[in-house]
Amino acid sequence: MRGLLPFLGRRLARALICLWLVTSVVFVVMRLSGDPVPLLLPQDAPRSEFARVRAELGLDLPVPLQYGIFVKNVFRGDFGQSIRYREQAFRVVVGYLPATIELGLAAFALAVVVAVPIGLLSAMRRNTALDQAAMGVALIGQSAPTFFLGILFILLISLKAGLLPTSGRGSLAHLVLPAVTLGAFAMASIARLTRSAVLEVLSADFIRTARAKGVSEVLVVAKHTLRNAAIPIVTITGLQFGSLLGGAVVTETVFAWPGIGRLAIQSIYNRDYPVVQCTVFLAALMFIVINLMIDLLYGLLDPRARAD
């Protein structure tokens, strides 16, 4: 336990630095994207009106001063007022957050339930037709762009077959296609890494010893193989979960899913600085917290990792 606390402290320090860097980069990039004031006023509005709105939004201040005010407000949980929605940016983003969490959890559950058994079966049936077919599908899942899969599912399943809705959020039927599309890459990654991890353990001496003693194959897999292959599987699974929550932008846009990814795209077009900054901050925070939890679990499962 003594080694675990310094290990956790190092990981926490890195997480805070990463969060600060992400937030700072987004702040700078949004300022480089252009002035939002011309989008708020008619083109023939007087210059005094442009100056008034710019001062009202705090955009007339020097950028370093804007950054200092921004960082100070973030510590208080204040991301400013949305330029488009005219209310607190945090409140706007939180209103869209449940949809993203719902989609991310559904995609993650689908990926784990499908990928881990497939990876395990592929390792147990190495070089068979089942193994080659499963890994071939996994390779396609990792290679195909998310927007391509989403559009393909809409064309074949929604428009041609008429089985599921094409877009929106509502019933369980609306969730199926976005969840499959978002979870495809994670499913493929987890399946391939599960196969590799299980194959590595199956070639170990203690597995051969267990089989030589007459231990049943089911017990060898359940008690010895999965337990020792758990560390890389847990790591990739946790990282994929964080990626699903923070990287659903394309899927939400294709299926018009009302989550923070789609909100971020719309806010970038509108140059809504506060909403974009809040969205990226919360997405990065979710990913970093999940990553930190995985690091902690990794340290509990493997004490050697605490020395890193």
Side-chain angles (χ1 to χ4, degrees):
M1 191 68 183
R2 283 181 295 178
L4 186 60
L5 292 178
F7 169 79
L8 181 60
R10 291 193 298 270
R11 292 298 190 272
L12 182 60
R14 294 177 189 175
L16 293 175
I17 293 173
C18 181
L19 188 61
W20 169 71
L21 288 174
V22 169
T23 306
S24 301
V25 168
V26 172
F27 177 89
V28 173
V29 170
M30 287 306 300
R31 265 61 187 178
L32 295 176
S33 66
D35 187 1
V37 176
L39 300 178
L40 301 175
L41 298 173
Q43 292 184 354
D44 57 350
R47 290 182 176 273
S48 60
E49 187 66 12
F50 279 90
R52 184 191 67 79
V53 174
R54 194 170 285 109
E56 182 182 312
L57 297 175
L59 300 177
D60 59 331
L61 301 174
V63 174
L65 184 56
Q66 291 184 42
Y67 177 74
I69 295 173
F70 168 71
V71 172
K72 183 182 70 173
N73 290 337
V74 166
F75 277 108
R76 300 184 301 177
D78 180 13
F79 291 87
Q81 187 181 54
S82 168
I83 296 175
R84 178 185 179 189
Y85 297 97
R86 296 297 181 180
E87 61 177 302
Q88 288 298 311
F90 183 78
R91 192 173 301 169
V92 172
V93 176
V94 168
Y96 286 80
L97 190 58
T100 296
I101 294 177
E102 177 187 343
L103 178 59
L105 288 175
F108 176 73
L110 181 65
V112 172
V113 168
V114 173
V116 173
I118 287 179
L120 181 60
L121 286 174
S122 294
M124 301 299 297
R125 301 289 185 267
R126 183 180 184 182
N127 295 329
T128 63
L130 174 64
D131 179 29
Q132 293 174 357
M135 290 302 102
V137 173
L139 183 60
I140 294 174
Q142 281 190 301
S143 304
T146 302
F147 72 88
F148 172 77
L149 289 178
I151 294 173
L152 185 65
F153 289 152
I154 289 174
L155 288 175
L156 297 180
I157 300 176
S158 296
L159 299 181
K160 293 286 187 181
L163 297 177
L164 294 169
T166 58
S167 62
R169 181 191 181 209
S171 64
L172 182 62
H174 290 85
L175 181 62
V176 176
L177 289 184
V180 173
T181 302
L182 180 60
F185 182 85
M187 198 182 305
S189 300
I190 295 172
R192 296 187 68 185
L193 190 128
T194 300
R195 178 182 181 273
S196 300
V198 171
L199 283 176
E200 184 177 353
V201 175
L202 287 175
S203 62
D205 292 337
F206 66 89
I207 295 294
R208 286 194 290 268
T209 302
R211 285 171 171 166
K213 290 181 178 179
V215 179
S216 66
E217 192 67 16
V218 174
L219 191 59
V220 167
V221 173
K223 184 177 180 180
H224 301 288
T225 305
L226 285 178
R227 181 179 179 182
N228 288 277
I231 291 177
I233 296 174
V234 167
T235 302
I236 189 65
T237 300
L239 292 177
Q240 289 297 329
F241 182 42
S243 300
L244 290 176
L245 287 177
V249 175
V250 175
T251 303
E252 291 181 357
T253 302
V254 170
F255 291 96
W257 188 265
I260 62 173
R262 187 163 175 256
L263 173 65
I265 294 296
Q266 294 173 342
S267 299
I268 290 172
Y269 289 147
N270 295 316
R271 298 175 189 167
D272 196 340
Y273 296 170
V275 171
V276 175
Q277 290 164 176
C278 184
T279 301
V280 174
F281 179 87
L282 290 181
L285 181 63
M286 287 189 294
F287 183 84
I288 288 171
V289 168
I290 293 170
N291 198 10
L292 187 63
M293 293 172 62
I294 293 301
D295 280 343
L296 179 59
L297 183 59
Y298 197 100
L300 291 173
L301 292 174
D302 187 0
R304 294 172 298 179
R306 303 173 195 173
D308 295 341

